[in-house]
Amino acid sequence: MNTNTTVRAATVSRSALVLLGCLIMGGCQGSQSQSQILASNDYRLRHPIVITEEPETLDLPIGRNTRRLYGPVEGTVTQFAMESRRKGNGAVEILVPSGGANESAVHAVTGNIRTALQRGGLGRSQISTRTYAVNDPTADAPIRLSYARMQATAGPCGNWPKNIGGGFGANIEYENFGCATQSNLAAMVENPSDLLTPRAMTPADQRRRAVVIENYRKGDVTSGEYEEGVGAEVSE
């Protein structure tokens, strides 16, 4: 009788300890929101890629004796205008310094800059000009070109709030895990808006569609014929 009572008491005590441990773990788990639980195990939520509109700038150094832009600089300005149409809203602002030692030179080349921007596909209404003050009157301040564009960023990385050496048994990711991957992806994406919504479908190939329909009407094979080897071509 004493032995059975002892075994039964030990079993009950062990069950009570297991139940108490589950309640404690459940209480700790319940103190975190669902988003916090997901973020602690998903680097995409800890280090999200943020899409913002930021200015893209180009500084043009203008010497005080300059009176017109030379070829390579004009090409750079024209390329900047083309990129503003492809990556931005197609409107470029010319920031002209005021109060510097090269103020006369700046006014002399502003017209050349406008011409180079128009050569890149911008209309006159898409080019605006405003001045900014120069604190040092002896400085040759640059002319700055600017347009707004969508940019993707993530980070900053390098956040180490805890010692990762003591958390291996927890089976969770450390804070900085995945930050470099997210930052690299944000830097490499060509069009950041692709991360927000997919692009619209391009129109179908009308020539290929006409060939397929004509073959279908004749009862011929509608799929293309593929050949292997050097000089192989795909039939239309």
Side-chain angles (χ1 to χ4, degrees), residues 50-231:
V50 181
I51 309 299
T52 57
E53 188 179 66
E54 300 291 339
E56 184 76 13
T57 60
L58 173 65
D59 287 346
L60 302 175
I62 305 297
R64 62 190 66 184
N65 296 322
T66 303
R67 290 299 177 264
R68 68 179 310 276
L69 295 182
Y70 57 96
V73 177
E74 286 184 340
T76 301
V77 173
T78 300
Q79 181 65 31
F80 188 80
M82 297 172 63
E83 291 180 356
S84 72
R85 297 174 56 198
R86 184 170 59 90
K87 299 179 180 179
N89 56 4
V92 174
E93 187 176 46
I94 305 175
L95 302 176
V96 180
S98 176
N102 61 340
E103 188 166 357
S104 298
V106 165
H107 290 294
V109 301
T110 301
N112 299 140
I113 293 176
R114 282 183 165 273
T115 302
L117 291 174
Q118 292 175 6
R119 194 178 298 117
L122 300 183
R124 292 187 177 183
S125 60
Q126 296 173 304
I127 304 173
S128 59
T129 305
R130 66 184 179 92
T131 60
Y132 71 92
V134 179
N135 296 327
D136 186 0
T138 63
D140 291 338
I143 294 178
R144 171 167 293 183
L145 307 182
S146 175
Y147 69 87
R149 61 165 295 189
M150 301 291 288
Q151 292 187 0
T153 57
C157 299
N159 186 20
W160 305 96
K162 298 179 181 179
N163 182 6
I164 64 174
F168 287 112
N171 195 26
I172 59 175
E173 300 171 352
Y174 53 88
E175 178 68 24
N176 199 56
F177 180 83
C179 185
T181 301
Q182 291 289 87
S183 298
N184 289 336
L185 176 60
M188 290 187 297
V189 64
E190 197 273 339
N191 188 353
S193 61
D194 290 340
L195 300 176
L196 300 177
T197 180
R199 299 188 187 185
M201 294 183 61
T202 57
D205 188 346
Q206 297 183 3
R207 292 181 56 189
R208 178 59 186 166
R209 180 170 56 184
V211 171
V212 172
I213 293 176
E214 184 65 22
N215 290 341
Y216 176 78
R217 289 172 178 171
K218 294 178 180 179
D220 298 337
V221 178
T222 58
S223 61
E225 297 179 1
Y226 298 88
E227 299 179 359
E228 297 182 358
V230 179

